[in-house]
Amino acid sequence: MTGSSLLKAHPLSIALLFVRTFFSPSTHRALARYLGTVMRDFFFLQFAVKFGLKTIPVLPVDHELDRRVPFTPSKVHLYLDFVAFWIRPALFVIRRFGWKRSAPILRSFLETIEDCYRSAASIYRFRMTTTKRPAYYKGPFLTIHLFDPHYLCVPSLHVIVVVLAYTFYRRIFEELKLDEEERKELGRQLYEGAVAITETVLLIKQHSVNCIPAALYTIGCITPKDVYPMECVRFIEDLFRHSTEVLPEDAKQIRQHIEDMYEQLLLEGCHDSDWRSPLYRWLASR
């Protein structure tokens, strides 16, 4: 899971990595571009629509299967772990191989995640999407409701980021020639963490079952060598596989819906010159 031993990191270490990355000549530009894109294409974009500064249709993308997933507030901390989730393996690489060798890897990841935000925003600017979420404001939920107008559901950036993190670093661990046993253990921890965080987007009602296949299709188009169809199918088949919150029969139907929609987007995308076209059509049909 995300707090497992090999990838454990103190919050202060995570904060210090941001500082070092910002002031390092080798990574400064990549971090600045990433943070700028997050502000422009996630926060500013949503609030511009919320306050009437931009006019973009906001569509509901709820599905009847969403009701089969119980609202589980206790999962919010795991949901909010998605940023630290990709920072911990970066810290692991830095500690093991030093800054000089690790900086290009971190820069590559920052450039890729920035591309993910820009690509997702190109969908959001066509249609924004929302789901029903409970009027629950205890603890971290108040912050979520204040800073997330909840207009950027399809595709889910939460899912995109965690899938990017586990597939990117799985490849990096292999390229760095880590011991096979250690590499497999690190890969397992990251994979299981990504599955668990993806489940939380439904458990705390920040997304619909429709948002997950759209995210898998999107990240697969951005990083096709790391996120290929069979990898996505494997990932889908493990969602709620060991859940104590969702009934087994409901989990099976949810997985089937996600897989069907993912395959539909994938097949349509094979015949389009623009990978976004299947998502545009799906949104236009709502």
Side-chain angles (χ1 to χ4, degrees):
M1 301 298 289
T2 58
S4 49
S5 58
L6 289 176
L7 296 173
K8 190 174 292 184
H10 192 277
L12 180 60
S13 298
I14 293 173
L16 288 174
L17 177 59
F18 264 99
V19 173
R20 184 174 189 180
T21 303
F22 186 80
F23 286 103
S24 171
S26 59
T27 53
H28 167 78
R29 180 172 295 184
L31 179 60
R33 284 174 59 88
Y34 163 63
L35 293 176
T37 298
V38 170
M39 294 303 296
R40 182 185 69 244
D41 288 344
F42 186 83
F43 292 107
F44 293 164
L45 183 59
Q46 286 190 89
F47 280 103
V49 172
K50 180 178 177 66
F51 295 121
L53 302 176
K54 282 182 178 291
T55 303
I56 301 174
V58 182
L59 310 174
V61 290
D62 303 278
H63 189 278
E64 61 181 15
L65 286 171
D66 296 332
R67 295 196 295 268
R68 310 281 188 89
V69 182
F71 178 53
T72 313
S74 62
K75 295 293 183 177
V76 69
H77 296 288
L78 181 55
Y79 170 84
L80 292 172
D81 188 56
F82 85 111
V83 174
F85 180 73
W86 66 258
I87 297 175
R88 282 192 290 269
L91 280 168
F92 174 88
V93 172
I94 291 167
R95 288 166 178 162
R96 178 68 62 89
F97 297 96
W99 178 257
K100 185 176 181 180
R101 191 172 179 187
S102 303
I105 296 170
L106 179 57
R107 183 174 64 246
S108 176
F109 184 88
L110 288 168
E111 290 169 349
T112 308
I113 195 173
E114 193 255 340
D115 187 22
C116 289
Y117 273 80
R118 282 191 293 103
S119 297
S122 70
I123 306 298
Y124 305 148
R125 287 189 171 89
F126 175 73
R127 296 286 193 278
M128 288 195 171
T129 44
T130 191
T131 63
K132 296 175 184 177
R133 58 180 182 180
Y136 185 92
Y137 307 107
K138 295 181 180 179
F141 284 93
L142 178 60
T143 302
I144 292 172
H145 282 258
L146 284 174
F147 290 98
D148 179 9
H150 196 50
Y151 290 166
L152 309 182
C153 288
V154 170
S156 166
L157 271 166
H158 236 79
V159 176
I160 288 172
V161 169
V162 297
V163 172
L164 169 66
Y166 94 77
T167 54
F168 178 91
Y169 279 102
R170 178 180 62 189
R171 171 170 53 81
I172 292 300
F173 294 149
E174 185 171 351
E175 290 176 357
L176 291 172
K177 302 188 185 304
L178 290 181
D179 173 81
E180 183 178 0
E181 184 176 346
E182 183 179 38
R183 189 175 72 242
K184 287 183 178 180
E185 177 60 17
L186 287 166
R188 182 193 66 79
Q189 291 176 16
L190 282 170
Y191 177 80
E192 291 181 359
V195 169
I197 291 176
T198 296
E199 292 173 353
T200 69
V201 306
L202 301 182
L203 289 166
I204 71 163
K205 301 299 178 181
Q206 278 292 108
H207 283 285
S208 164
V209 294
N210 288 324
C211 308
I212 296 174
L216 293 173
Y217 171 73
T218 299
I219 186 60
C221 291
I222 297 169
T223 61
K225 291 184 179 179
D226 288 337
V227 186
Y228 41 89
M230 287 307 297
E231 181 67 32
C232 290
V233 171
R234 172 198 175 212
F235 189 83
I236 293 166
E237 289 178 347
D238 281 333
L239 292 173
F240 297 108
R241 178 69 63 184
H242 306 292
S243 175
T244 58
E245 294 84 18
V246 180
L247 294 174
E249 182 56 36
D250 293 337
K252 182 179 179 180
Q253 291 184 38
I254 289 168
R255 288 193 295 270
Q256 189 62 59
H257 173 78
I258 292 172
E259 186 170 336
D260 288 347
M261 182 173 169
Y262 168 73
E263 290 181 355
Q264 177 185 343
L265 292 169
L266 189 66
L267 290 171
E268 289 185 21
C270 292
H271 302 284
D272 285 303
S273 57
D274 186 339
W275 67 268
R276 298 170 296 182
S277 295
L279 287 171
Y280 288 157
R281 284 194 293 271
W282 187 85
L283 289 166
S285 69
R286 301 298 295 174

